[in-house]
Amino acid sequence: MSDSSELLLAVDFAGTGIHPSSWRRDDSRAEELFTPRYWADLVGNADRAGVDFAFLPDTFGVVSDATTVRGRLEAVGLAARLTTATTRIGLIPTATVTHTEPFHVAKAIQTIDHTTLGRAGWEVAVTPAVVELFGRKDEQDTASLWAEAHEAAEVAARLWDSWEDDAEIRDVATGRFIDRDKVHYIDFVGEYFSVKGSSIVPRSPQGQPLVAVTVTGDESLEFAAHRADLVRIRATDLSAASERAGRIRAEAGDRRIFVLLDIDVLLGDDAAADLAQLEAWAGEPYRSDTLVHVGTSEDLIELLGDATGVDGVTLRPLALPSTLRRLVENVLPVVRPEVAPTTGTLRDRLGLPRPANRFAAAH
């Protein structure tokens, strides 16, 4: 890729920003953090400016540090609220599979795909800790966590197919709303889950909503290569990002995937001073496991133009409201001078085929 206009652009909407002290800024809007207006304003502005995806992070962990924002809105529920505040952006909440039944996740994501007319995705995540919040099982190692994630994704995919596309017949004359022969039990039995199905939700506009994952190690890389449509990676420079993207594509083989590099971003008139203030409040330097841009909008535009070897970027603002405003006002008009009208589903816009229904083929 040689032009930033070809890049997929995503934003990670994490609280008041990914820096733990970002809420202390005068422009943080921290007092609105748990209100619908805050999220509708921010994601709605990104939507209108041409951002492709809104990642909505989530975790089961509760922050114990009294100087850090404690608590968050649940991501899938938040995505559901944002369906009416957006028209084109893909809504991709994180849903952790480790202590969550895939049936519930699958129907929730499927519902958002219906209510957005095909703009839903699911970022799969695992968590090794917080077992005491659930009391159902012991702590798992990384291999076990991702083996469970594979099963959860397989269950979801089968549930998304459990209604054939033409299962709803709504035949008034006979009083039949569905063709029962076209609604299927999935009959999944694995090491971690046993799910008979079918889904309670008819097959959604994309057939299979997009699956995303952040690669943090070999196990998540293997999941990405076999299960994900959108793969988020972290690398401290563009060369390493290109190399990592190439490895993931090689693992995926003929399966089309889109690799997005996470970039931590702080934009401002004096962004270095802004970062210094955040670090002073936190009492330590800011450290990241991925590329960091602290500076001007113009320099970020240049960086995006140099981002070859990846299909897109996920911008992670250190201070969300202020950086997003500069992205919308200064960066997006340059890298997205024309925002295409809303047409089709996320799969249509990515050039991904609508998957055939596995049960229809057998039927």
Side-chain angles (χ1 to χ4, degrees), residues 211-232:
V211 172
V213 72
T214 298
V215 170
T216 55
D218 290 342
E219 293 84 1
S220 53
L221 189 153
E222 196 268 341
F223 179 95
H226 290 86
R227 299 281 184 184
D229 304 294
L230 301 175
V231 181
R232 295 175 60 178

Side-chain angles (χ1 to χ4, degrees), residues 10-15 39 42-44 46-47 51 53-57 72 78 89 315 317 320 324:
V11 173
D12 193 81
F13 288 86
W39 298 100
L42 294 179
V43 181
D47 174 68
V51 173
F53 306 112
F55 285 104
L56 305 170
R72 65 172 68 231
L78 179 58
I89 198 169
L315 303 177
L320 180 55
L324 184 70

Side-chain angles (χ1 to χ4, degrees), residues 137-194:
K137 56 185 178 181
D138 296 330
E139 191 168 321
Q140 297 165 257
D141 61 22
T142 302
S144 172
L145 289 168
W146 283 103
E148 185 178 40
H150 272 285
E151 282 197 10
E154 177 64 22
V155 169
R158 294 189 190 192
L159 288 168
W160 290 337
D161 277 353
S162 62
W163 290 53
E164 296 184 32
D165 289 319
D166 55 352
E168 297 175 73
I169 54 176
R170 296 187 291 279
D171 189 334
V172 176
T174 64
R176 295 168 66 223
F177 187 84
I178 61 169
D179 182 342
R180 292 178 122 186
D181 291 335
K182 295 184 178 183
V183 179
H184 304 275
Y185 294 122
I186 70 168
D187 292 326
F188 179 88
V189 178
E191 181 181 353
Y192 301 92
F193 302 106
S194 177

